[in-house]
Amino acid sequence: MSDVAAMTPMQYLDKATSQLRELGVMPAKVEPAPINSLLEKISDLDQEKIALIARTLGQAEVFNEVVREQTAQMEIGKRYQQITDGFNSIRDDAKRLVDQVSDGKLDWLERGSNIWMKIARGDIADRFDKIRQIYLSVTKETRNQIERETKILDAYRDFRGALKQAEVMALEVLKKAEDKLDAARKRLDEASAKVAAYSGSEPAERAKLELERDEQLRRLQDEEKRYQIAKDLADNLTISYNTSEVIMARLMQTTSAKERVYAQAVTFFSTNDSVLTALKASFTGVFGLHESTKTLDAMKEGMSKSLEDLGKIGDKVQEEAVRAGYG
């Protein structure tokens, strides 16, 4: 025997609506469902069950609309493109800065472009920090959306529990409608048999039997209409539940995938934050190394040329001094 006890329709419905109220998405007023007028025609079959079915179907549009609206708003956006653009700009600007100083000097156009780069995009170290902040912002929002989405889907699953219970009750009501329809057919057959079997000569008596037969026919027609309403109700509840089951399975797969991606994202960042920091330090260090290297090269080249010039000037001065001293 299963240890899982199914809740009553009201328990399912109350649990589902309370979750929507906690999220602040439950409307204050629920409009009566159009099907209520049809349910009134078969309410005498089982007033309690019909009332519960009517309340469940009255909430159906609310839950469907909430799920449609809330899932449509669950968008992360395209901030991943900002991260991609950030890394691309870092690499492009790094290469450009190295190319600028490769000739050992910066002209006014290059200086102006560097100033504009810092104003428009920030320096490279700042852009690494911006990438980090975007990443943290996206993962935080993803977590919030997963929690909200999970609560909404849980509420919808509870509502589907109420919908399944409504299907069970509708099938029970259908059985009662079928029994009443069979009884009406039997009464009509009996009334028709009386008319057919009447062999008297009194027109009034025969007319009474025909009236009774016609009344039974009318009641049968009414029961057929009520039976058809009950049958349509049960059939459509069955179809609705089975169809939504497939869709809900897809939604749950999407939510599970999103949770998995979120877990991967958090794990990736937690284990690779040091890599991002190292990249930031390395790019900054590369520029420092490049500047130091170029400074050392400039010092060496300057001293070498100075010594060469000193040698040339010294030789010339000494030659002039010898001429002046010795004639």
Side-chain angles (χ1 to χ4, degrees), residues 209-310:
L209 293 175
E210 290 175 343
L211 176 61
E212 182 181 355
R213 179 201 61 192
D214 292 343
E215 284 296 326
Q216 294 299 334
L217 176 61
R218 182 179 178 182
R219 291 176 184 175
L220 174 63
Q221 291 170 341
D222 290 340
E223 289 298 336
E224 285 178 340
K225 291 179 182 178
R226 283 148 48 88
Y227 170 80
Q228 195 58 52
I229 292 173
K231 187 175 186 303
D232 290 343
L233 177 64
D235 289 346
N236 282 283
L237 280 171
T238 301
I239 293 171
S240 174
Y241 185 86
N242 292 338
T243 303
S244 63
E245 184 176 11
V246 176
I247 299 172
M248 284 297 297
R250 183 62 179 268
L251 283 173
M252 292 307 300
Q253 288 177 353
T254 302
T255 303
S256 298
K258 187 182 290 185
E259 289 177 342
R260 181 58 185 155
V261 170
Y262 170 77
Q264 284 275 24
V266 171
T267 304
F268 174 83
F269 183 79
S270 299
T271 55
N272 287 276
D273 190 20
S274 58
V275 177
L276 189 64
T277 303
L279 281 172
K280 173 183 175 181
S282 296
F283 267 89
T284 305
V286 164
F287 290 124
L289 175 61
H290 185 74
E291 183 180 21
S292 299
T293 302
K294 289 298 182 180
T295 301
L296 179 59
D297 289 343
M299 288 289 292
K300 288 181 178 180
E301 184 178 1
M303 292 179 67
S304 177
K305 289 182 178 180
S306 296
L307 290 173
E308 290 177 4
D309 290 342
L310 178 60

Side-chain angles (χ1 to χ4, degrees), residues 73-80 138 141-142 145 258:
Q73 294 173 5
M74 294 172 186
E75 296 290 341
I76 301 300
K78 295 184 178 180
R79 281 174 288 180
Y80 64 87
V138 171
E141 187 170 332
T142 302
Q145 290 185 356
K258 187 182 290 185

Side-chain angles (χ1 to χ4, degrees), residues 177-195 212-213 215-217 219-221 223-224:
E178 187 176 359
D179 292 341
K180 285 205 168 189
L181 180 61
D182 290 340
R185 285 195 182 115
K186 184 178 180 180
R187 288 193 297 269
L188 176 61
D189 291 340
E190 291 174 351
S192 298
K194 288 181 180 179
V195 173
E212 182 181 355
R213 179 201 61 192
E215 284 296 326
Q216 294 299 334
L217 176 61
R219 291 176 184 175
L220 174 63
Q221 291 170 341
E223 289 298 336
E224 285 178 340

